Structure formats: C-alpha cells, structure tokens
Amino acid sequence: MALLLQAFLLLTFACSAGDEHVTSAAEMVAVSRLMVTFDRLAAASDFDGMANLFTDDAVLMPPNEPAIVGKRLIRKRLQEQLGRAALALEHEPLEVDASGRLIVHRGRAVGTVRPKGGGPLLQVDDKYLFVLRTEQDGSLRIWRAIYNSNISTAGDPKR
C-alpha cells in the first residue's frame, strides 16, 4: 500500500514537472475552509454534506479495510459511521502543496468519538493525506483520502 501511495505521488508530481506553481495564500485559505466545513458537518452528523465535499470519483482509504471508491459508497460509509457515533474533530493542516488542479494536503485530526448507544468516549489523533482537486466550477473537493491513527493499539483488545 505504501509503495502504491509513493508511486501515485511521484506520478502526480512528475506530471507537473516544470510547473513552477507556488501554493498561493488563496489556496491555503481554501484548504483551511474545506477542513473547517468538514469538521462542522461531522459535528452535525451531516453525511450528505460531508459526501458532497468529495469528488464523484473519490477514493477513501480507511485503515485496516479495503478502499472505498466513489462518492455514493463514501456517503454510505459516512452514514454508517455517523449513525453510530457523534464526532467532534478538528483538522490541522500541516503541509499544503498545490500543482495545477491538485493540492496535496497533509495534516493531523484530533478530537473525540462518542458512541450514540453509550460506551466510553474515544480519543482521535489521526494523521492524514488528502489529495484535493479543483473542479470545473472552481470548487475544491476531496479526490483521494487516506488516514490512520497516531494512537498505538498494541495490547488494546477494544481497538
């Protein structure tokens, strides 16, 4: 999986070789706004709104399971997750690099997950890599997304 991600990133940047684009302040603001919107929609359990932040051909790569391909299936996954838990997340952009229509965005997400049926409050501390794409209408959407926890689960039978 790591090799595929590295190959994808190398191909993405190789295709933009010679593109002397520097990430603009407007692109940085657009990424921050997208992530604030994502967090607000997650807190509201608005899976339709969250799904609309993805491109139609998006790929979501959650930890320890197969990739989820397409906005329709991503929406279904979000609905399943948000139906079981209340999320309180905050995404922190750590690195933003734009080239053409694509923006590679690396960051950290922290917060909590509260199971709606009761149970302990779970802490979230994730690293993520999103590839965002500017669509024809000028909107910025999530095209590829991969994430994983920074919290060690070694010896924890509940995780």
Side-chain angles (χ1 to χ4, degrees):
M1 180 77 126
L3 288 175
L4 289 174
L5 179 61
Q6 288 175 347
F8 170 75
L9 291 174
L10 286 173
L11 179 61
T12 299
F13 293 113
C15 289
S16 62
D19 180 5
E20 297 299 322
H21 181 79
V22 174
T23 305
S24 71
E27 290 164 327
M28 299 286 282
V29 168
V31 170
S32 292
R33 283 185 180 155
L34 178 69
M35 299 319 301
V36 166
T37 300
F38 187 94
D39 295 339
R40 179 180 50 78
L41 294 169
S45 295
D46 183 350
F47 50 86
D48 288 325
M50 291 176 73
N52 285 331
L53 298 178
F54 289 84
T55 63
D56 290 337
D57 61 342
V59 177
L60 178 64
M61 296 175 279
N64 305 315
E65 61 184 89
I68 301 165
V69 180
K71 184 193 289 192
R72 183 181 61 77
L73 293 177
I74 291 171
R75 180 191 173 282
K76 180 181 176 190
R77 173 79 172 359
L78 292 169
Q79 182 178 7
E80 291 168 357
Q81 283 186 324
L82 295 175
R84 294 191 317 253
L87 305 177
L89 298 175
E90 184 174 320
H91 284 78
E92 174 189 4
L94 298 175
E95 189 176 356
V96 177
D97 190 18
S99 181
R101 291 180 53 207
L102 299 180
I103 298 176
V104 177
H105 164 58
R106 180 180 70 86
R108 180 176 180 218
V110 295
T112 59
V113 176
R114 180 177 304 281
K116 289 183 178 175
L121 184 69
L122 303 173
Q123 296 298 314
V124 174
D125 180 356
D126 287 355
K127 57 189 159 286
Y128 65 88
L129 183 69
F130 289 175
V131 180
L132 311 172
R133 185 172 73 193
T134 303
E135 298 299 281
Q136 295 299 329
D137 65 2
S139 64
L140 189 61
R141 300 276 186 256
I142 302 166
W143 181 49
R144 302 290 187 259
I146 187 168
Y147 61 95
N148 205 339
S149 181
N150 287 317
I151 300 170
S152 173
T153 59
D156 184 354
K158 294 179 274 180
R159 289 177 81 63

